[in-house]
Amino acid sequence: MGNPTSPTNHATAPDSSNETADLAFLLRAMHADLGLLQRLRPEQLMAALKETGREIARLQAFQLHCLASLRRRRSDARELASELALTLHVTDNRAGAMISAAEALTKRLPRTLRLMDEGKLDFYRAMKVTDGTSWMSDHDARIVDVLLESRLEEKNPTQIRKSTAYAAMKIDPIGAASRMAQRRKERRVVLHHQDEGISRLAVDNVSTEKATAAYLRIDKIARALRTGTEKRTLDQLRADVALDLLLSGRGGVSEKTEVYLYLDLETYLGLNENPAELTGHGPIPAELARHIATGPDTTLRRVITDPLTGQVIEVGKFRYKPSLDVEEFVRVRDRECRQPGCPRPAQNCVVEPVGSHRRNTDTSMSYCIRHRRLKNRADWQYRVLDGGKVSITTPTGQRIETIPPPVHEPRAEHPEEERLGA
């Protein structure tokens, strides 16, 4: 018989009348007796996973506090990185990145670190903020830290990277343009030979608009080759098409490729330096956006937004082939797959009404192939709410609401109050 006072004997799976069970105690009990896992309902297991993540984030924050304290006592960061690598069994590069992040979070980004202390942000997501502000001055990084404090907890790493990039470009547009120019000077082709006759070929630090257009062309050709007799996967087809285009210059019929660029009129006219957004990539500096928008092969389309919400309400019809339908409007409005956190561009998505609704711009949404299948499962519930919101209920009862991201920052209804508070 076990000790009658042990946590194992006291812990029982919470019943339906006690949904507010102490998750911290539950975690300790489950760790002591993994057999308890079989007695928990799926929603309780999901809650335990969430609380585990919060505890991990708190421990990671404590680890960074220790590391920052060590760094203040050691003059040679590289020597400290070598010791840390041995202690944690990681590479020197990983240890160096941890040290840099610890310094940035304690000196420049205290609010982001506080979110980690509270269990609201893990280290991997926090590093998206440290990486995205690494080129900024301490003063500007602290401003970004304040702007992002209330926006990080519910975001995934890709969303945090984009939010950080947007805030950083807005706070220091000149620095962002300078960094972009420097990165472009570092463009290169990398060939890395791996084992078993496999290699990786990559093009680094090229202009975003060209890289995006090149990928979309490769993707379009690859999808056209997916006939009934084609056995290659889409990824395999993309790789084969890309190499064929490089080696022979062929691979499909040459044609124009559309890339969606979102920028406001004042940015286009050079009256402000607000970041624009390139679908599938995220925020880009205003200077690059104007360069793309004024290119010889660029076709501009009028997109009218609601000034108070930033949401798309109308898309102009003028383009190479004047045709506008529900599908195109929805793709322009949504920009990305409507599943929360999915970064797949709307151009590569299917447009469908939610549930039994009729097909129109208010009820149709963009979904990538993966999340379209999820949307059609019986244990996932999708509902259309007022204002273009979609409410998603997961199989374990979590409810998430999503709206299309605004094209521009919503305009304050009382600008004079905003100026007084600045």
Side-chain angles (χ1 to χ4, degrees), residues 201-214:
L201 181 66
V203 186
D204 284 346
N205 299 326
V206 295
S207 60
T208 294
E209 74 278 14
K210 289 185 178 180
T212 302

Side-chain angles (χ1 to χ4, degrees), residues 338-354:
R338 285 296 297 276
Q339 186 76 9
C342 181
R344 290 176 179 81
Q347 295 124 294
N348 299 337
C349 294
V350 294
V351 174
E352 287 185 341
V354 174

Side-chain angles (χ1 to χ4, degrees), residues 167-208:
M169 290 176 194
K170 188 156 189 177
I171 294 302
D172 186 8
I174 296 176
S178 176
R179 176 175 167 81
M180 177 189 67
Q182 179 59 38
R183 293 291 297 275
R184 282 190 173 188
K185 290 179 181 178
E186 299 168 356
R187 60 188 180 273
R188 58 180 184 165
V189 175
V190 179
L191 177 62
H192 177 62
H193 293 300
Q194 301 168 324
D195 297 331
E196 301 171 347
I198 301 298
S199 299
R200 180 174 64 88
L201 181 66
V203 186
D204 284 346
N205 299 326
V206 295
S207 60
T208 294

